[in-house]
Amino acid sequence: MYQAAENRYDKMIYNRVGKSGLKLPAISLGMWHNFGDVDLFDKSQAIVRRAFDLGITHFDLANNYGPPAGSAEENFGRIYEKDLKPYRDELIISSKAGYYMWPGPYGEFGSKKNVTASIDQSLKRMGLEYVDIFYSHRPDPETPFEETAQALDLMVRQGKTLYVGISNYSAEQTAEITSIFKELKTPFIIHQPSYNMYNRWIEEGLQDILTENGTGSIAYSPLAQGLLTDRYLNGVPEDSRASRTSSPFLNTDQVHKKITQSQALNEVAKRRGQTLAEIAIAWILRDGKVTSVLVGASRVLQLEDNVKALDNLTFTKEELSEIDGILAENKG
C-alpha cells in the first residue's frame, strides 16, 4: 500500500497564485500525454506517486486528455482511489472544459450547457466531489464571455470547484473576462498559457494584465515539445516525436530551425551545472511572474530531472542577456 514520503515538503518551492490564498508547487504535473489508455497504467501510477513524494501537490487534467479523450481523468481517478485519497486535502486537482468531447452542438466550447455537463463528467471520471481549479480551456468565438464566466461562477457556488481559471485566452480576451469575474466576485485566480524560451507571446501584454489584476499563471509546454531538451541537440532521432509524420506538435523542419539556438542555450546550461531542460524550466520561473511550470513525464527519471531545475533558479544579468541574444537569432 502506498504511503507518501514523510519528507515530501522539504525541498519543493510553493508560490502564491496571484493575490489568492492558494499556493502551487513551482513544478506541477500535467497529464496531457502519457496517462491515457494507450499508456501503461503501472508507469502512470509510478509517475504520480513519485511526483507527490517530491512535493508536487498539483495534478493538472482536462476532460479531453488521453488518448482517448477522458481516459487520463479515468486513470487519474484509479490512481487517486488506490493511492492518493487519504491525502485529498493536500492535493490541488484541476480540470478543464472547452475542447471537443462529444458529438452534437453542446460537446465543446464555453456555453453554460457544455461547462455544466463537462464538470459533472470530469468529477465522475475521477471519483471526486470537487476539483480545486476548473478552467475554460479555450475562448469560445460564439458564446458571450458573460455566459462562460457565469457558468464557471455557478460551478463555484454549487461546490463543484473552489477556484476557476482560463487557458489559451489572449491578452485582450483575458482583460474582458477578468472584468466580468470581478463583477461576479468569482474566485478567478489563474491563467494557463503556453510559454517557453521559443514561445514568449505572453510577455507582449498578457503578463502585464495578469499582474495588474493579481492573477497567477501556470505555463504549459515549457520544453517546446522537446526542442528544449537534449533529445534534439544533434538532429532528429528515428524514434522521436518529430520523426513521426503524424505528429501535429513537432516536425523535422522545426527541429532543424532551432538546433543552433538549442546548442547555444545548452552551453549556457552547462556553465550553470544544468541540462537544457533544467535551464528552460528555471528561466520560466526566473522573475516570479509565473506561478508554476507544468511538466509532462513519460518516465519517473524524466520527472526527477525536471524537478532538479529548482536547484538553481537564479540568473545573472549577463546570463539573461546572453539568453536573450541567442533567442533573438533566427527568430521564428
Side-chain angles (χ1 to χ4, degrees), residues 8 10 14 26 37 67-68 91 104 124 134-135 142 144 153 166 178 185 194-195 210 227 237 244 261 269 285 324:
R8 60 189 176 277
D10 290 356
Y14 298 91
D37 284 349
L91 305 177
K124 185 177 181 180
F134 194 69
Y135 290 85
E142 297 182 349
D153 183 75
I166 58 175
T178 296
K185 299 191 183 313
S194 59
Y195 182 50
L210 297 177
L227 283 176
R244 297 195 295 269
Q261 286 170 294
L285 295 165
D324 282 341

Short mmCIF file of all heavy atoms in Angstrom, two decimals, residues 8 10 14 26 37 67-68 91 104 124 134-135 142 144 153 166 178 185 194-195 210 227 237 244 261 269 285 324:
data_model
loop_
_atom_site.label_atom_id
_atom_site.label_comp_id
_atom_site.label_asym_id
_atom_site.label_seq_id
_atom_site.Cartn_x
_atom_site.Cartn_y
_atom_site.Cartn_z
N ARG A 8 8.23 14.91 1.95
CA ARG A 8 7.78 15.41 0.64
C ARG A 8 7.71 16.93 0.54
O ARG A 8 7.73 17.47 -0.56
CB ARG A 8 6.42 14.79 0.29
CG ARG A 8 5.29 15.08 1.25
CD ARG A 8 4.06 14.23 0.89
NE ARG A 8 2.95 14.37 1.82
CZ ARG A 8 2.84 13.71 2.96
NH1 ARG A 8 3.80 12.87 3.31
NH2 ARG A 8 1.78 13.87 3.75
N ASP A 10 9.94 19.01 2.01
CA ASP A 10 11.21 19.60 2.45
C ASP A 10 11.88 20.47 1.40
O ASP A 10 12.52 21.48 1.73
CB ASP A 10 12.18 18.50 2.89
CG ASP A 10 11.76 17.84 4.19
OD1 ASP A 10 10.75 18.28 4.78
OD2 ASP A 10 12.44 16.87 4.61
N TYR A 14 6.84 26.54 -3.05
CA TYR A 14 5.41 26.80 -3.25
C TYR A 14 5.20 28.30 -3.43
O TYR A 14 5.64 29.10 -2.59
CB TYR A 14 4.58 26.27 -2.07
CG TYR A 14 4.72 24.77 -1.94
CD1 TYR A 14 5.72 24.22 -1.13
CD2 TYR A 14 3.91 23.90 -2.66
CE1 TYR A 14 5.88 22.84 -1.04
CE2 TYR A 14 4.07 22.52 -2.57
CZ TYR A 14 5.06 22.00 -1.76
OH TYR A 14 5.23 20.64 -1.68
N ALA A 26 6.11 24.99 -7.50
CA ALA A 26 6.75 25.62 -8.65
C ALA A 26 6.74 24.69 -9.86
O ALA A 26 6.75 25.13 -11.01
CB ALA A 26 8.18 26.02 -8.30
N ASP A 37 -5.30 5.67 -21.99
CA ASP A 37 -5.42 4.21 -22.08
C ASP A 37 -4.37 3.57 -22.98
O ASP A 37 -4.16 2.36 -22.93
CB ASP A 37 -6.83 3.84 -22.61
CG ASP A 37 -7.89 4.01 -21.53
OD1 ASP A 37 -7.51 4.19 -20.36
OD2 ASP A 37 -9.09 3.97 -21.86
N PRO A 67 -4.65 9.89 -24.95
CA PRO A 67 -5.87 9.44 -25.62
C PRO A 67 -6.32 8.07 -25.11
O PRO A 67 -5.51 7.36 -24.52
CB PRO A 67 -5.45 9.38 -27.09
CG PRO A 67 -3.97 9.13 -27.06
CD PRO A 67 -3.46 9.79 -25.82
N PRO A 68 -7.61 7.70 -25.37
CA PRO A 68 -8.67 8.55 -25.92
C PRO A 68 -9.15 9.57 -24.91
O PRO A 68 -8.84 9.48 -23.72
CB PRO A 68 -9.77 7.53 -26.25
CG PRO A 68 -9.58 6.44 -25.24
CD PRO A 68 -8.10 6.33 -25.07
N LEU A 91 -3.94 17.95 -1.85
CA LEU A 91 -3.84 17.95 -3.31
C LEU A 91 -4.57 19.11 -3.95
O LEU A 91 -5.62 19.54 -3.47
CB LEU A 91 -4.41 16.65 -3.87
CG LEU A 91 -3.85 15.33 -3.35
CD1 LEU A 91 -4.61 14.17 -3.98
CD2 LEU A 91 -2.36 15.23 -3.66
N GLY A 104 -22.48 16.60 -31.52
CA GLY A 104 -23.60 17.50 -31.35
C GLY A 104 -23.14 18.89 -30.98
O GLY A 104 -21.95 19.14 -30.76
N LYS A 124 -17.12 12.66 -12.16
CA LYS A 124 -17.49 11.24 -12.17
C LYS A 124 -16.31 10.37 -12.59
O LYS A 124 -16.03 9.33 -11.98
CB LYS A 124 -18.67 11.03 -13.11
CG LYS A 124 -19.21 9.60 -13.10
CD LYS A 124 -20.44 9.47 -13.99
CE LYS A 124 -20.98 8.03 -13.97
NZ LYS A 124 -22.18 7.89 -14.83
N PHE A 134 -11.09 24.79 -11.89
CA PHE A 134 -11.74 24.38 -13.13
C PHE A 134 -11.59 25.51 -14.15
O PHE A 134 -11.89 26.66 -13.86
CB PHE A 134 -13.21 24.05 -12.92
CG PHE A 134 -13.82 23.30 -14.07
CD1 PHE A 134 -13.45 21.99 -14.34
CD2 PHE A 134 -14.76 23.91 -14.89
CE1 PHE A 134 -14.00 21.29 -15.41
CE2 PHE A 134 -15.32 23.22 -15.95
CZ PHE A 134 -14.94 21.90 -16.22
N TYR A 135 -11.11 25.13 -15.35
CA TYR A 135 -10.75 26.11 -16.37
C TYR A 135 -11.72 26.12 -17.55
O TYR A 135 -12.23 25.07 -17.95
CB TYR A 135 -9.40 25.76 -16.99
CG TYR A 135 -8.17 25.94 -16.14
CD1 TYR A 135 -7.75 24.94 -15.27
CD2 TYR A 135 -7.39 27.09 -16.26
CE1 TYR A 135 -6.58 25.07 -14.54
CE2 TYR A 135 -6.23 27.23 -15.53
CZ TYR A 135 -5.83 26.23 -14.67
OH TYR A 135 -4.67 26.36 -13.95
N GLU A 142 -18.19 32.20 -30.27
CA GLU A 142 -19.61 32.46 -30.49
C GLU A 142 -20.42 32.69 -29.21
O GLU A 142 -21.47 33.31 -29.25
CB GLU A 142 -20.24 31.30 -31.29
CG GLU A 142 -19.64 31.15 -32.69
CD GLU A 142 -20.29 30.04 -33.48
OE1 GLU A 142 -21.04 29.23 -32.90
OE2 GLU A 142 -20.03 29.97 -34.70
N PRO A 144 -21.00 34.49 -25.64
CA PRO A 144 -20.54 35.67 -24.90
C PRO A 144 -19.71 35.27 -23.69
O PRO A 144 -20.03 34.27 -23.01
CB PRO A 144 -21.84 36.35 -24.48
CG PRO A 144 -22.89 35.83 -25.40
CD PRO A 144 -22.48 34.43 -25.75
N ASP A 153 -18.71 30.60 -12.54
CA ASP A 153 -19.09 31.13 -11.23
C ASP A 153 -20.11 30.21 -10.57
O ASP A 153 -20.03 29.93 -9.36
CB ASP A 153 -19.68 32.54 -11.41
CG ASP A 153 -20.04 33.18 -10.08
OD1 ASP A 153 -19.12 33.62 -9.36
OD2 ASP A 153 -21.24 33.21 -9.75
N ILE A 166 -8.67 30.28 -16.67
CA ILE A 166 -8.85 30.26 -18.11
C ILE A 166 -7.53 29.80 -18.74
O ILE A 166 -6.47 29.90 -18.12
CB ILE A 166 -9.25 31.64 -18.69
CG1 ILE A 166 -8.20 32.71 -18.33
CG2 ILE A 166 -10.64 32.05 -18.20
CD1 ILE A 166 -8.46 34.07 -18.96
N THR A 178 -11.84 38.99 -17.22
CA THR A 178 -11.44 39.34 -15.85
C THR A 178 -12.41 40.35 -15.25
O THR A 178 -12.80 40.22 -14.08
CB THR A 178 -10.01 39.90 -15.82
OG1 THR A 178 -9.08 38.90 -16.25
CG2 THR A 178 -9.62 40.35 -14.41
N LYS A 185 -17.68 38.54 -8.53
CA LYS A 185 -16.91 38.17 -7.33
C LYS A 185 -16.52 36.67 -7.36
O LYS A 185 -16.53 35.97 -6.34
CB LYS A 185 -17.65 38.52 -6.04
CG LYS A 185 -17.94 40.00 -5.89
CD LYS A 185 -18.43 40.33 -4.52
CE LYS A 185 -18.81 41.79 -4.37
NZ LYS A 185 -17.83 42.76 -4.89
N SER A 194 0.51 28.75 -22.98
CA SER A 194 1.76 28.12 -23.44
C SER A 194 2.86 29.17 -23.28
O SER A 194 2.66 30.35 -23.55
CB SER A 194 1.65 27.70 -24.90
OG SER A 194 1.35 28.81 -25.73
N TYR A 195 4.03 28.74 -22.82
CA TYR A 195 5.13 29.69 -22.62
C TYR A 195 6.43 28.93 -22.48
O TYR A 195 6.53 27.97 -21.71
CB TYR A 195 4.88 30.52 -21.35
CG TYR A 195 5.92 31.58 -21.06
CD1 TYR A 195 6.33 32.49 -22.03
CD2 TYR A 195 6.48 31.68 -19.79
CE1 TYR A 195 7.27 33.47 -21.75
CE2 TYR A 195 7.42 32.66 -19.49
CZ TYR A 195 7.81 33.55 -20.48
OH TYR A 195 8.74 34.53 -20.20
N LEU A 210 -2.23 40.24 -16.18
CA LEU A 210 -2.31 39.32 -15.04
C LEU A 210 -1.75 39.98 -13.78
O LEU A 210 -2.35 39.87 -12.70
CB LEU A 210 -1.56 38.03 -15.35
CG LEU A 210 -2.09 37.18 -16.51
CD1 LEU A 210 -1.20 35.97 -16.75
CD2 LEU A 210 -3.53 36.75 -16.27
N LEU A 227 11.93 20.39 -27.89
CA LEU A 227 13.00 21.17 -28.53
C LEU A 227 14.00 21.67 -27.50
O LEU A 227 15.19 21.82 -27.80
CB LEU A 227 12.41 22.36 -29.29
CG LEU A 227 11.76 22.09 -30.64
CD1 LEU A 227 11.15 23.37 -31.20
CD2 LEU A 227 12.77 21.51 -31.63
N PRO A 237 16.27 12.07 -33.82
CA PRO A 237 16.38 10.61 -33.66
C PRO A 237 15.22 9.90 -34.36
O PRO A 237 14.11 10.42 -34.42
CB PRO A 237 16.31 10.42 -32.14
CG PRO A 237 16.67 11.75 -31.56
CD PRO A 237 16.17 12.76 -32.53
N ARG A 244 8.03 11.40 -36.52
CA ARG A 244 6.75 10.82 -36.96
C ARG A 244 5.97 11.83 -37.77
O ARG A 244 5.66 12.92 -37.27
CB ARG A 244 5.93 10.35 -35.74
CG ARG A 244 6.59 9.25 -34.94
CD ARG A 244 5.59 8.59 -34.00
NE ARG A 244 5.11 9.49 -32.97
CZ ARG A 244 5.68 9.63 -31.77
NH1 ARG A 244 6.77 8.93 -31.47
NH2 ARG A 244 5.18 10.45 -30.88
N GLN A 261 20.31 27.33 -32.00
CA GLN A 261 19.95 28.03 -30.77
C GLN A 261 19.95 27.08 -29.56
O GLN A 261 20.45 27.44 -28.49
CB GLN A 261 18.57 28.67 -30.93
CG GLN A 261 18.57 29.92 -31.81
CD GLN A 261 17.15 30.36 -32.12
OE1 GLN A 261 16.41 29.67 -32.79
NE2 GLN A 261 16.78 31.52 -31.62
N ALA A 269 23.58 26.42 -20.21
CA ALA A 269 23.12 25.49 -19.17
C ALA A 269 24.29 24.75 -18.53
O ALA A 269 24.35 24.62 -17.30
CB ALA A 269 22.13 24.50 -19.78
N LEU A 285 10.67 30.50 -14.52
CA LEU A 285 10.41 30.92 -13.13
C LEU A 285 11.33 32.06 -12.68
O LEU A 285 11.31 32.45 -11.52
CB LEU A 285 10.59 29.72 -12.21
CG LEU A 285 9.60 28.57 -12.39
CD1 LEU A 285 10.10 27.31 -11.69
CD2 LEU A 285 8.22 28.96 -11.87
N ASP A 324 18.84 36.09 -24.10
CA ASP A 324 18.03 36.92 -24.99
C ASP A 324 18.68 37.07 -26.35
O ASP A 324 18.00 37.07 -27.38
CB ASP A 324 17.82 38.31 -24.37
CG ASP A 324 16.75 38.30 -23.28
OD1 ASP A 324 15.94 37.36 -23.26
OD2 ASP A 324 16.72 39.23 -22.45
#
